[in-house]
Amino acid sequence: MTATDRSLELVTTAAQAAADKLAHDIVAYDVSDVLSITDAFLLASAPNDRQVKSIVDEIEERLSKELGVKPVRREGDREARWVLLDYVDIVVHVQHSEERVFYALERLWKDCPELELPEDAKATRGKAAEHARQQEAEEATEPGGEWR
């Protein structure tokens, strides 16, 4: 079994919304062959809690306005370190970059086919690593390595 056309439409819209809010490393997997509860997982990350929340809000708003769907479940709002939006057909995971590295969901789903995403979403690949390098460089140039 493969992801339905509706699931692909949801993934594409959610991925574009995440890219528009500057999410990092957006990727989607067709998990329909290994899970019966959903067709696809969309993963995205951001370097801080505020941006995680902003990405989640944009995905929710876009899917509601453009496709008329709302999540049946939303988890992780309070800390905004890992927010899960369950749309039944797809599940969206927006994680703080540190959680993304620690939990490495990509490892779990590496055998599942990757779904085609909009060009803006594909362009986000490697942004988390780039951001981390910039942050390290900024900290190294400051006296004592302290925050400004």
Side-chain angles (χ1 to χ4, degrees), residues 75-101:
E75 294 182 8
D77 275 341
R78 187 169 303 169
E79 294 84 27
R81 302 282 297 177
W82 181 349
V83 179
L84 179 143
L85 298 172
D86 184 351
Y87 286 93
V88 180
D89 293 327
I90 71 166
V91 175
V92 178
H93 298 268
V94 183
Q95 298 174 295
H96 190 286
S97 297
E98 292 171 0
E99 269 69 9
R100 179 86 177 257
V101 170

mmCIF file with all atom_site columns, all heavy atoms in Angstrom, residues 75-101:
data_model
loop_
_atom_site.group_PDB
_atom_site.id
_atom_site.type_symbol
_atom_site.label_atom_id
_atom_site.label_alt_id
_atom_site.label_comp_id
_atom_site.label_asym_id
_atom_site.label_entity_id
_atom_site.label_seq_id
_atom_site.pdbx_PDB_ins_code
_atom_site.Cartn_x
_atom_site.Cartn_y
_atom_site.Cartn_z
_atom_site.occupancy
_atom_site.B_iso_or_equiv
_atom_site.pdbx_formal_charge
_atom_site.auth_seq_id
_atom_site.auth_comp_id
_atom_site.auth_asym_id
_atom_site.auth_atom_id
_atom_site.pdbx_PDB_model_num
ATOM 1   N N   . GLU A 1 75  ? -0.032 17.560 20.421 1.00 0.00 ? 75  GLU A N   1
ATOM 2   C CA  . GLU A 1 75  ? 0.700  17.292 21.661 1.00 0.00 ? 75  GLU A CA  1
ATOM 3   C C   . GLU A 1 75  ? 2.011  18.056 21.686 1.00 0.00 ? 75  GLU A C   1
ATOM 4   O O   . GLU A 1 75  ? 2.615  18.299 20.643 1.00 0.00 ? 75  GLU A O   1
ATOM 5   C CB  . GLU A 1 75  ? 0.992  15.798 21.785 1.00 0.00 ? 75  GLU A CB  1
ATOM 6   C CG  . GLU A 1 75  ? -0.234 14.943 21.949 1.00 0.00 ? 75  GLU A CG  1
ATOM 7   C CD  . GLU A 1 75  ? 0.093  13.482 22.121 1.00 0.00 ? 75  GLU A CD  1
ATOM 8   O OE1 . GLU A 1 75  ? 1.286  13.135 22.269 1.00 0.00 ? 75  GLU A OE1 1
ATOM 9   O OE2 . GLU A 1 75  ? -0.849 12.669 22.100 1.00 0.00 ? 75  GLU A OE2 1
ATOM 10  N N   . GLY A 1 76  ? 2.462  18.413 22.895 1.00 0.00 ? 76  GLY A N   1
ATOM 11  C CA  . GLY A 1 76  ? 3.765  19.021 23.073 1.00 0.00 ? 76  GLY A CA  1
ATOM 12  C C   . GLY A 1 76  ? 3.783  20.528 23.045 1.00 0.00 ? 76  GLY A C   1
ATOM 13  O O   . GLY A 1 76  ? 4.847  21.131 23.001 1.00 0.00 ? 76  GLY A O   1
ATOM 14  N N   . ASP A 1 77  ? 2.625  21.157 23.076 1.00 0.00 ? 77  ASP A N   1
ATOM 15  C CA  . ASP A 1 77  ? 2.545  22.624 23.004 1.00 0.00 ? 77  ASP A CA  1
ATOM 16  C C   . ASP A 1 77  ? 3.253  23.341 24.134 1.00 0.00 ? 77  ASP A C   1
ATOM 17  O O   . ASP A 1 77  ? 3.896  24.354 23.918 1.00 0.00 ? 77  ASP A O   1
ATOM 18  C CB  . ASP A 1 77  ? 1.086  23.089 23.037 1.00 0.00 ? 77  ASP A CB  1
ATOM 19  C CG  . ASP A 1 77  ? 0.459  23.080 21.671 1.00 0.00 ? 77  ASP A CG  1
ATOM 20  O OD1 . ASP A 1 77  ? 1.200  23.078 20.680 1.00 0.00 ? 77  ASP A OD1 1
ATOM 21  O OD2 . ASP A 1 77  ? -0.786 23.066 21.612 1.00 0.00 ? 77  ASP A OD2 1
ATOM 22  N N   . ARG A 1 78  ? 3.119  22.830 25.331 1.00 0.00 ? 78  ARG A N   1
ATOM 23  C CA  . ARG A 1 78  ? 3.591  23.550 26.505 1.00 0.00 ? 78  ARG A CA  1
ATOM 24  C C   . ARG A 1 78  ? 5.078  23.879 26.420 1.00 0.00 ? 78  ARG A C   1
ATOM 25  O O   . ARG A 1 78  ? 5.486  25.012 26.603 1.00 0.00 ? 78  ARG A O   1
ATOM 26  C CB  . ARG A 1 78  ? 3.312  22.746 27.768 1.00 0.00 ? 78  ARG A CB  1
ATOM 27  C CG  . ARG A 1 78  ? 3.640  23.549 29.017 1.00 0.00 ? 78  ARG A CG  1
ATOM 28  C CD  . ARG A 1 78  ? 3.135  22.898 30.238 1.00 0.00 ? 78  ARG A CD  1
ATOM 29  N NE  . ARG A 1 78  ? 1.694  22.713 30.066 1.00 0.00 ? 78  ARG A NE  1
ATOM 30  C CZ  . ARG A 1 78  ? 0.953  21.982 30.866 1.00 0.00 ? 78  ARG A CZ  1
ATOM 31  N NH1 . ARG A 1 78  ? 1.496  21.362 31.870 1.00 0.00 ? 78  ARG A NH1 1
ATOM 32  N NH2 . ARG A 1 78  ? -0.329 21.859 30.658 1.00 0.00 ? 78  ARG A NH2 1
ATOM 33  N N   . GLU A 1 79  ? 5.901  22.904 26.122 1.00 0.00 ? 79  GLU A N   1
ATOM 34  C CA  . GLU A 1 79  ? 7.338  23.143 26.063 1.00 0.00 ? 79  GLU A CA  1
ATOM 35  C C   . GLU A 1 79  ? 7.787  23.596 24.679 1.00 0.00 ? 79  GLU A C   1
ATOM 36  O O   . GLU A 1 79  ? 8.828  24.208 24.534 1.00 0.00 ? 79  GLU A O   1
ATOM 37  C CB  . GLU A 1 79  ? 8.121  21.878 26.450 1.00 0.00 ? 79  GLU A CB  1
ATOM 38  C CG  . GLU A 1 79  ? 7.938  21.455 27.882 1.00 0.00 ? 79  GLU A CG  1
ATOM 39  C CD  . GLU A 1 79  ? 6.672  20.618 28.080 1.00 0.00 ? 79  GLU A CD  1
ATOM 40  O OE1 . GLU A 1 79  ? 6.230  19.957 27.118 1.00 0.00 ? 79  GLU A OE1 1
ATOM 41  O OE2 . GLU A 1 79  ? 6.126  20.660 29.190 1.00 0.00 ? 79  GLU A OE2 1
ATOM 42  N N   . ALA A 1 80  ? 7.016  23.268 23.652 1.00 0.00 ? 80  ALA A N   1
ATOM 43  C CA  . ALA A 1 80  ? 7.344  23.588 22.255 1.00 0.00 ? 80  ALA A CA  1
ATOM 44  C C   . ALA A 1 80  ? 8.735  23.085 21.871 1.00 0.00 ? 80  ALA A C   1
ATOM 45  O O   . ALA A 1 80  ? 9.455  23.718 21.123 1.00 0.00 ? 80  ALA A O   1
ATOM 46  C CB  . ALA A 1 80  ? 7.197  25.091 21.989 1.00 0.00 ? 80  ALA A CB  1
ATOM 47  N N   . ARG A 1 81  ? 9.091  21.918 22.389 1.00 0.00 ? 81  ARG A N   1
ATOM 48  C CA  . ARG A 1 81  ? 10.360 21.288 22.015 1.00 0.00 ? 81  ARG A CA  1
ATOM 49  C C   . ARG A 1 81  ? 10.105 20.223 20.952 1.00 0.00 ? 81  ARG A C   1
ATOM 50  O O   . ARG A 1 81  ? 10.959 19.947 20.131 1.00 0.00 ? 81  ARG A O   1
ATOM 51  C CB  . ARG A 1 81  ? 11.033 20.647 23.236 1.00 0.00 ? 81  ARG A CB  1
ATOM 52  C CG  . ARG A 1 81  ? 11.324 21.587 24.381 1.00 0.00 ? 81  ARG A CG  1
ATOM 53  C CD  . ARG A 1 81  ? 12.510 22.444 24.179 1.00 0.00 ? 81  ARG A CD  1
ATOM 54  N NE  . ARG A 1 81  ? 13.739 21.674 24.059 1.00 0.00 ? 81  ARG A NE  1
ATOM 55  C CZ  . ARG A 1 81  ? 14.913 22.214 23.822 1.00 0.00 ? 81  ARG A CZ  1
ATOM 56  N NH1 . ARG A 1 81  ? 15.028 23.507 23.674 1.00 0.00 ? 81  ARG A NH1 1
ATOM 57  N NH2 . ARG A 1 81  ? 15.985 21.469 23.711 1.00 0.00 ? 81  ARG A NH2 1
ATOM 58  N N   . TRP A 1 82  ? 8.938  19.608 21.029 1.00 0.00 ? 82  TRP A N   1
ATOM 59  C CA  . TRP A 1 82  ? 8.532  18.612 20.045 1.00 0.00 ? 82  TRP A CA  1
ATOM 60  C C   . TRP A 1 82  ? 7.016  18.640 20.012 1.00 0.00 ? 82  TRP A C   1
ATOM 61  O O   . TRP A 1 82  ? 6.349  18.204 20.934 1.00 0.00 ? 82  TRP A O   1
ATOM 62  C CB  . TRP A 1 82  ? 9.025  17.245 20.463 1.00 0.00 ? 82  TRP A CB  1
ATOM 63  C CG  . TRP A 1 82  ? 8.710  16.118 19.524 1.00 0.00 ? 82  TRP A CG  1
ATOM 64  C CD1 . TRP A 1 82  ? 7.858  16.126 18.449 1.00 0.00 ? 82  TRP A CD1 1
ATOM 65  C CD2 . TRP A 1 82  ? 9.234  14.798 19.592 1.00 0.00 ? 82  TRP A CD2 1
ATOM 66  N NE1 . TRP A 1 82  ? 7.836  14.908 17.853 1.00 0.00 ? 82  TRP A NE1 1
ATOM 67  C CE2 . TRP A 1 82  ? 8.674  14.065 18.539 1.00 0.00 ? 82  TRP A CE2 1
ATOM 68  C CE3 . TRP A 1 82  ? 10.122 14.166 20.450 1.00 0.00 ? 82  TRP A CE3 1
ATOM 69  C CZ2 . TRP A 1 82  ? 8.973  12.734 18.307 1.00 0.00 ? 82  TRP A CZ2 1
ATOM 70  C CZ3 . TRP A 1 82  ? 10.416 12.844 20.215 1.00 0.00 ? 82  TRP A CZ3 1
ATOM 71  C CH2 . TRP A 1 82  ? 9.856  12.133 19.155 1.00 0.00 ? 82  TRP A CH2 1
ATOM 72  N N   . VAL A 1 83  ? 6.477  19.187 18.940 1.00 0.00 ? 83  VAL A N   1
ATOM 73  C CA  . VAL A 1 83  ? 5.028  19.273 18.800 1.00 0.00 ? 83  VAL A CA  1
ATOM 74  C C   . VAL A 1 83  ? 4.597  18.277 17.733 1.00 0.00 ? 83  VAL A C   1
ATOM 75  O O   . VAL A 1 83  ? 5.188  18.202 16.654 1.00 0.00 ? 83  VAL A O   1
ATOM 76  C CB  . VAL A 1 83  ? 4.573  20.704 18.423 1.00 0.00 ? 83  VAL A CB  1
ATOM 77  C CG1 . VAL A 1 83  ? 3.063  20.762 18.260 1.00 0.00 ? 83  VAL A CG1 1
ATOM 78  C CG2 . VAL A 1 83  ? 5.035  21.704 19.479 1.00 0.00 ? 83  VAL A CG2 1
ATOM 79  N N   . LEU A 1 84  ? 3.569  17.520 18.063 1.00 0.00 ? 84  LEU A N   1
ATOM 80  C CA  . LEU A 1 84  ? 3.023  16.527 17.152 1.00 0.00 ? 84  LEU A CA  1
ATOM 81  C C   . LEU A 1 84  ? 1.620  16.959 16.750 1.00 0.00 ? 84  LEU A C   1
ATOM 82  O O   . LEU A 1 84  ? 0.806  17.294 17.602 1.00 0.00 ? 84  LEU A O   1
ATOM 83  C CB  . LEU A 1 84  ? 2.975  15.169 17.858 1.00 0.00 ? 84  LEU A CB  1
ATOM 84  C CG  . LEU A 1 84  ? 2.419  13.999 17.065 1.00 0.00 ? 84  LEU A CG  1
ATOM 85  C CD1 . LEU A 1 84  ? 3.189  12.735 17.403 1.00 0.00 ? 84  LEU A CD1 1
ATOM 86  C CD2 . LEU A 1 84  ? 0.939  13.802 17.332 1.00 0.00 ? 84  LEU A CD2 1
ATOM 87  N N   . LEU A 1 85  ? 1.367  16.983 15.439 1.00 0.00 ? 85  LEU A N   1
ATOM 88  C CA  . LEU A 1 85  ? 0.036  17.249 14.912 1.00 0.00 ? 85  LEU A CA  1
ATOM 89  C C   . LEU A 1 85  ? -0.446 15.984 14.215 1.00 0.00 ? 85  LEU A C   1
ATOM 90  O O   . LEU A 1 85  ? 0.175  15.534 13.245 1.00 0.00 ? 85  LEU A O   1
ATOM 91  C CB  . LEU A 1 85  ? 0.068  18.399 13.898 1.00 0.00 ? 85  LEU A CB  1
ATOM 92  C CG  . LEU A 1 85  ? 0.517  19.758 14.404 1.00 0.00 ? 85  LEU A CG  1
ATOM 93  C CD1 . LEU A 1 85  ? 0.690  20.723 13.242 1.00 0.00 ? 85  LEU A CD1 1
ATOM 94  C CD2 . LEU A 1 85  ? -0.475 20.306 15.410 1.00 0.00 ? 85  LEU A CD2 1
ATOM 95  N N   . ASP A 1 86  ? -1.534 15.406 14.692 1.00 0.00 ? 86  ASP A N   1
ATOM 96  C CA  . ASP A 1 86  ? -2.070 14.181 14.119 1.00 0.00 ? 86  ASP A CA  1
ATOM 97  C C   . ASP A 1 86  ? -3.287 14.514 13.270 1.00 0.00 ? 86  ASP A C   1
ATOM 98  O O   . ASP A 1 86  ? -4.319 14.936 13.780 1.00 0.00 ? 86  ASP A O   1
ATOM 99  C CB  . ASP A 1 86  ? -2.445 13.221 15.246 1.00 0.00 ? 86  ASP A CB  1
ATOM 100 C CG  . ASP A 1 86  ? -2.934 11.872 14.744 1.00 0.00 ? 86  ASP A CG  1
ATOM 101 O OD1 . ASP A 1 86  ? -3.150 11.707 13.527 1.00 0.00 ? 86  ASP A OD1 1
ATOM 102 O OD2 . ASP A 1 86  ? -3.101 10.971 15.590 1.00 0.00 ? 86  ASP A OD2 1
ATOM 103 N N   . TYR A 1 87  ? -3.150 14.318 11.964 1.00 0.00 ? 87  TYR A N   1
ATOM 104 C CA  . TYR A 1 87  ? -4.240 14.542 11.019 1.00 0.00 ? 87  TYR A CA  1
ATOM 105 C C   . TYR A 1 87  ? -4.814 13.215 10.518 1.00 0.00 ? 87  TYR A C   1
ATOM 106 O O   . TYR A 1 87  ? -5.484 13.179 9.503  1.00 0.00 ? 87  TYR A O   1
ATOM 107 C CB  . TYR A 1 87  ? -3.739 15.364 9.828  1.00 0.00 ? 87  TYR A CB  1
ATOM 108 C CG  . TYR A 1 87  ? -3.518 16.817 10.161 1.00 0.00 ? 87  TYR A CG  1
ATOM 109 C CD1 . TYR A 1 87  ? -2.268 17.267 10.572 1.00 0.00 ? 87  TYR A CD1 1
ATOM 110 C CD2 . TYR A 1 87  ? -4.550 17.738 10.073 1.00 0.00 ? 87  TYR A CD2 1
ATOM 111 C CE1 . TYR A 1 87  ? -2.064 18.603 10.877 1.00 0.00 ? 87  TYR A CE1 1
ATOM 112 C CE2 . TYR A 1 87  ? -4.352 19.077 10.383 1.00 0.00 ? 87  TYR A CE2 1
ATOM 113 C CZ  . TYR A 1 87  ? -3.106 19.494 10.783 1.00 0.00 ? 87  TYR A CZ  1
ATOM 114 O OH  . TYR A 1 87  ? -2.898 20.817 11.091 1.00 0.00 ? 87  TYR A OH  1
ATOM 115 N N   . VAL A 1 88  ? -4.564 12.139 11.199 1.00 0.00 ? 88  VAL A N   1
ATOM 116 C CA  . VAL A 1 88  ? -4.949 10.770 10.871 1.00 0.00 ? 88  VAL A CA  1
ATOM 117 C C   . VAL A 1 88  ? -4.222 10.293 9.606  1.00 0.00 ? 88  VAL A C   1
ATOM 118 O O   . VAL A 1 88  ? -3.467 9.334  9.665  1.00 0.00 ? 88  VAL A O   1
ATOM 119 C CB  . VAL A 1 88  ? -6.481 10.581 10.745 1.00 0.00 ? 88  VAL A CB  1
ATOM 120 C CG1 . VAL A 1 88  ? -6.811 9.137  10.393 1.00 0.00 ? 88  VAL A CG1 1
ATOM 121 C CG2 . VAL A 1 88  ? -7.188 10.992 12.020 1.00 0.00 ? 88  VAL A CG2 1
ATOM 122 N N   . ASP A 1 89  ? -4.434 10.957 8.471  1.00 0.00 ? 89  ASP A N   1
ATOM 123 C CA  . ASP A 1 89  ? -3.763 10.547 7.227  1.00 0.00 ? 89  ASP A CA  1
ATOM 124 C C   . ASP A 1 89  ? -2.265 10.814 7.285  1.00 0.00 ? 89  ASP A C   1
ATOM 125 O O   . ASP A 1 89  ? -1.486 10.092 6.670  1.00 0.00 ? 89  ASP A O   1
ATOM 126 C CB  . ASP A 1 89  ? -4.354 11.278 6.020  1.00 0.00 ? 89  ASP A CB  1
ATOM 127 C CG  . ASP A 1 89  ? -5.789 10.863 5.743  1.00 0.00 ? 89  ASP A CG  1
ATOM 128 O OD1 . ASP A 1 89  ? -6.123 9.689  5.995  1.00 0.00 ? 89  ASP A OD1 1
ATOM 129 O OD2 . ASP A 1 89  ? -6.574 11.703 5.282  1.00 0.00 ? 89  ASP A OD2 1
ATOM 130 N N   . ILE A 1 90  ? -1.888 11.876 7.983  1.00 0.00 ? 90  ILE A N   1
ATOM 131 C CA  . ILE A 1 90  ? -0.467 12.202 8.169  1.00 0.00 ? 90  ILE A CA  1
ATOM 132 C C   . ILE A 1 90  ? -0.242 12.617 9.621  1.00 0.00 ? 90  ILE A C   1
ATOM 133 O O   . ILE A 1 90  ? -1.175 13.054 10.300 1.00 0.00 ? 90  ILE A O   1
ATOM 134 C CB  . ILE A 1 90  ? 0.039  13.320 7.229  1.00 0.00 ? 90  ILE A CB  1
ATOM 135 C CG1 . ILE A 1 90  ? -0.533 14.690 7.622  1.00 0.00 ? 90  ILE A CG1 1
ATOM 136 C CG2 . ILE A 1 90  ? -0.251 12.991 5.784  1.00 0.00 ? 90  ILE A CG2 1
ATOM 137 C CD1 . ILE A 1 90  ? 0.165  15.865 6.957  1.00 0.00 ? 90  ILE A CD1 1
ATOM 138 N N   . VAL A 1 91  ? 0.992  12.463 10.067 1.00 0.00 ? 91  VAL A N   1
ATOM 139 C CA  . VAL A 1 91  ? 1.394  12.953 11.386 1.00 0.00 ? 91  VAL A CA  1
ATOM 140 C C   . VAL A 1 91  ? 2.583  13.878 11.163 1.00 0.00 ? 91  VAL A C   1
ATOM 141 O O   . VAL A 1 91  ? 3.545  13.513 10.478 1.00 0.00 ? 91  VAL A O   1
ATOM 142 C CB  . VAL A 1 91  ? 1.776  11.796 12.341 1.00 0.00 ? 91  VAL A CB  1
ATOM 143 C CG1 . VAL A 1 91  ? 2.301  12.339 13.658 1.00 0.00 ? 91  VAL A CG1 1
ATOM 144 C CG2 . VAL A 1 91  ? 0.581  10.885 12.578 1.00 0.00 ? 91  VAL A CG2 1
ATOM 145 N N   . VAL A 1 92  ? 2.489  15.079 11.713 1.00 0.00 ? 92  VAL A N   1
ATOM 146 C CA  . VAL A 1 92  ? 3.538  16.081 11.565 1.00 0.00 ? 92  VAL A CA  1
ATOM 147 C C   . VAL A 1 92  ? 4.302  16.182 12.881 1.00 0.00 ? 92  VAL A C   1
ATOM 148 O O   . VAL A 1 92  ? 3.700  16.333 13.941 1.00 0.00 ? 92  VAL A O   1
ATOM 149 C CB  . VAL A 1 92  ? 2.937  17.461 11.198 1.00 0.00 ? 92  VAL A CB  1
ATOM 150 C CG1 . VAL A 1 92  ? 4.029  18.513 11.095 1.00 0.00 ? 92  VAL A CG1 1
ATOM 151 C CG2 . VAL A 1 92  ? 2.126  17.374 9.911  1.00 0.00 ? 92  VAL A CG2 1
ATOM 152 N N   . HIS A 1 93  ? 5.633  16.093 12.786 1.00 0.00 ? 93  HIS A N   1
ATOM 153 C CA  . HIS A 1 93  ? 6.505  16.252 13.948 1.00 0.00 ? 93  HIS A CA  1
ATOM 154 C C   . HIS A 1 93  ? 7.348  17.507 13.706 1.00 0.00 ? 93  HIS A C   1
ATOM 155 O O   . HIS A 1 93  ? 8.114  17.547 12.742 1.00 0.00 ? 93  HIS A O   1
ATOM 156 C CB  . HIS A 1 93  ? 7.474  15.073 14.092 1.00 0.00 ? 93  HIS A CB  1
ATOM 157 C CG  . HIS A 1 93  ? 6.820  13.767 14.311 1.00 0.00 ? 93  HIS A CG  1
ATOM 158 N ND1 . HIS A 1 93  ? 6.573  13.266 15.562 1.00 0.00 ? 93  HIS A ND1 1
ATOM 159 C CD2 . HIS A 1 93  ? 6.351  12.838 13.432 1.00 0.00 ? 93  HIS A CD2 1
ATOM 160 C CE1 . HIS A 1 93  ? 5.987  12.079 15.451 1.00 0.00 ? 93  HIS A CE1 1
ATOM 161 N NE2 . HIS A 1 93  ? 5.846  11.804 14.176 1.00 0.00 ? 93  HIS A NE2 1
ATOM 162 N N   . VAL A 1 94  ? 7.202  18.507 14.567 1.00 0.00 ? 94  VAL A N   1
ATOM 163 C CA  . VAL A 1 94  ? 8.066  19.687 14.496 1.00 0.00 ? 94  VAL A CA  1
ATOM 164 C C   . VAL A 1 94  ? 8.868  19.684 15.793 1.00 0.00 ? 94  VAL A C   1
ATOM 165 O O   . VAL A 1 94  ? 8.310  19.777 16.882 1.00 0.00 ? 94  VAL A O   1
ATOM 166 C CB  . VAL A 1 94  ? 7.271  21.000 14.338 1.00 0.00 ? 94  VAL A CB  1
ATOM 167 C CG1 . VAL A 1 94  ? 8.226  22.176 14.206 1.00 0.00 ? 94  VAL A CG1 1
ATOM 168 C CG2 . VAL A 1 94  ? 6.344  20.923 13.127 1.00 0.00 ? 94  VAL A CG2 1
ATOM 169 N N   . GLN A 1 95  ? 10.191 19.563 15.645 1.00 0.00 ? 95  GLN A N   1
ATOM 170 C CA  . GLN A 1 95  ? 11.055 19.394 16.808 1.00 0.00 ? 95  GLN A CA  1
ATOM 171 C C   . GLN A 1 95  ? 12.080 20.517 16.910 1.00 0.00 ? 95  GLN A C   1
ATOM 172 O O   . GLN A 1 95  ? 12.525 21.058 15.897 1.00 0.00 ? 95  GLN A O   1
ATOM 173 C CB  . GLN A 1 95  ? 11.819 18.071 16.691 1.00 0.00 ? 95  GLN A CB  1
ATOM 174 C CG  . GLN A 1 95  ? 10.934 16.852 16.658 1.00 0.00 ? 95  GLN A CG  1
ATOM 175 C CD  . GLN A 1 95  ? 11.745 15.600 16.404 1.00 0.00 ? 95  GLN A CD  1
ATOM 176 O OE1 . GLN A 1 95  ? 12.318 15.451 15.350 1.00 0.00 ? 95  GLN A OE1 1
ATOM 177 N NE2 . GLN A 1 95  ? 11.789 14.721 17.392 1.00 0.00 ? 95  GLN A NE2 1
ATOM 178 N N   . HIS A 1 96  ? 12.435 20.806 18.145 1.00 0.00 ? 96  HIS A N   1
ATOM 179 C CA  . HIS A 1 96  ? 13.595 21.652 18.390 1.00 0.00 ? 96  HIS A CA  1
ATOM 180 C C   . HIS A 1 96  ? 14.787 20.887 17.820 1.00 0.00 ? 96  HIS A C   1
ATOM 181 O O   . HIS A 1 96  ? 14.832 19.651 17.883 1.00 0.00 ? 96  HIS A O   1
ATOM 182 C CB  . HIS A 1 96  ? 13.752 21.875 19.893 1.00 0.00 ? 96  HIS A CB  1
ATOM 183 C CG  . HIS A 1 96  ? 14.761 22.897 20.254 1.00 0.00 ? 96  HIS A CG  1
ATOM 184 N ND1 . HIS A 1 96  ? 16.115 22.664 20.154 1.00 0.00 ? 96  HIS A ND1 1
ATOM 185 C CD2 . HIS A 1 96  ? 14.621 24.163 20.712 1.00 0.00 ? 96  HIS A CD2 1
ATOM 186 C CE1 . HIS A 1 96  ? 16.769 23.733 20.552 1.00 0.00 ? 96  HIS A CE1 1
ATOM 187 N NE2 . HIS A 1 96  ? 15.884 24.666 20.891 1.00 0.00 ? 96  HIS A NE2 1
ATOM 188 N N   . SER A 1 97  ? 15.748 21.574 17.259 1.00 0.00 ? 97  SER A N   1
ATOM 189 C CA  . SER A 1 97  ? 16.892 20.921 16.608 1.00 0.00 ? 97  SER A CA  1
ATOM 190 C C   . SER A 1 97  ? 17.596 19.922 17.515 1.00 0.00 ? 97  SER A C   1
ATOM 191 O O   . SER A 1 97  ? 18.031 18.857 17.064 1.00 0.00 ? 97  SER A O   1
ATOM 192 C CB  . SER A 1 97  ? 17.891 21.971 16.113 1.00 0.00 ? 97  SER A CB  1
ATOM 193 O OG  . SER A 1 97  ? 17.277 22.783 15.142 1.00 0.00 ? 97  SER A OG  1
ATOM 194 N N   . GLU A 1 98  ? 17.708 20.229 18.808 1.00 0.00 ? 98  GLU A N   1
ATOM 195 C CA  . GLU A 1 98  ? 18.374 19.316 19.741 1.00 0.00 ? 98  GLU A CA  1
ATOM 196 C C   . GLU A 1 98  ? 17.600 18.003 19.875 1.00 0.00 ? 98  GLU A C   1
ATOM 197 O O   . GLU A 1 98  ? 18.193 16.931 19.914 1.00 0.00 ? 98  GLU A O   1
ATOM 198 C CB  . GLU A 1 98  ? 18.538 19.976 21.108 1.00 0.00 ? 98  GLU A CB  1
ATOM 199 C CG  . GLU A 1 98  ? 19.518 21.128 21.096 1.00 0.00 ? 98  GLU A CG  1
ATOM 200 C CD  . GLU A 1 98  ? 19.512 21.925 22.393 1.00 0.00 ? 98  GLU A CD  1
ATOM 201 O OE1 . GLU A 1 98  ? 18.736 21.594 23.319 1.00 0.00 ? 98  GLU A OE1 1
ATOM 202 O OE2 . GLU A 1 98  ? 20.286 22.880 22.472 1.00 0.00 ? 98  GLU A OE2 1
ATOM 203 N N   . GLU A 1 99  ? 16.274 18.095 19.951 1.00 0.00 ? 99  GLU A N   1
ATOM 204 C CA  . GLU A 1 99  ? 15.453 16.887 20.037 1.00 0.00 ? 99  GLU A CA  1
ATOM 205 C C   . GLU A 1 99  ? 15.537 16.098 18.735 1.00 0.00 ? 99  GLU A C   1
ATOM 206 O O   . GLU A 1 99  ? 15.558 14.864 18.743 1.00 0.00 ? 99  GLU A O   1
ATOM 207 C CB  . GLU A 1 99  ? 13.986 17.242 20.315 1.00 0.00 ? 99  GLU A CB  1
ATOM 208 C CG  . GLU A 1 99  ? 13.614 17.290 21.757 1.00 0.00 ? 99  GLU A CG  1
ATOM 209 C CD  . GLU A 1 99  ? 14.241 18.438 22.526 1.00 0.00 ? 99  GLU A CD  1
ATOM 210 O OE1 . GLU A 1 99  ? 14.860 19.346 21.952 1.00 0.00 ? 99  GLU A OE1 1
ATOM 211 O OE2 . GLU A 1 99  ? 14.142 18.423 23.743 1.00 0.00 ? 99  GLU A OE2 1
ATOM 212 N N   . ARG A 1 100 ? 15.601 16.798 17.641 1.00 0.00 ? 100 ARG A N   1
ATOM 213 C CA  . ARG A 1 100 ? 15.682 16.130 16.328 1.00 0.00 ? 100 ARG A CA  1
ATOM 214 C C   . ARG A 1 100 ? 16.940 15.263 16.248 1.00 0.00 ? 100 ARG A C   1
ATOM 215 O O   . ARG A 1 100 ? 16.894 14.125 15.802 1.00 0.00 ? 100 ARG A O   1
ATOM 216 C CB  . ARG A 1 100 ? 15.681 17.183 15.217 1.00 0.00 ? 100 ARG A CB  1
ATOM 217 C CG  . ARG A 1 100 ? 15.785 16.661 13.812 1.00 0.00 ? 100 ARG A CG  1
ATOM 218 C CD  . ARG A 1 100 ? 14.439 16.299 13.225 1.00 0.00 ? 100 ARG A CD  1
ATOM 219 N NE  . ARG A 1 100 ? 14.516 15.855 11.855 1.00 0.00 ? 100 ARG A NE  1
ATOM 220 C CZ  . ARG A 1 100 ? 14.192 16.575 10.809 1.00 0.00 ? 100 ARG A CZ  1
ATOM 221 N NH1 . ARG A 1 100 ? 13.768 17.817 10.959 1.00 0.00 ? 100 ARG A NH1 1
ATOM 222 N NH2 . ARG A 1 100 ? 14.262 16.086 9.593  1.00 0.00 ? 100 ARG A NH2 1
ATOM 223 N N   . VAL A 1 101 ? 18.052 15.803 16.720 1.00 0.00 ? 101 VAL A N   1
ATOM 224 C CA  . VAL A 1 101 ? 19.310 15.044 16.709 1.00 0.00 ? 101 VAL A CA  1
ATOM 225 C C   . VAL A 1 101 ? 19.233 13.887 17.709 1.00 0.00 ? 101 VAL A C   1
ATOM 226 O O   . VAL A 1 101 ? 19.600 12.756 17.393 1.00 0.00 ? 101 VAL A O   1
ATOM 227 C CB  . VAL A 1 101 ? 20.505 15.969 17.028 1.00 0.00 ? 101 VAL A CB  1
ATOM 228 C CG1 . VAL A 1 101 ? 21.769 15.163 17.268 1.00 0.00 ? 101 VAL A CG1 1
ATOM 229 C CG2 . VAL A 1 101 ? 20.704 16.979 15.913 1.00 0.00 ? 101 VAL A CG2 1
#
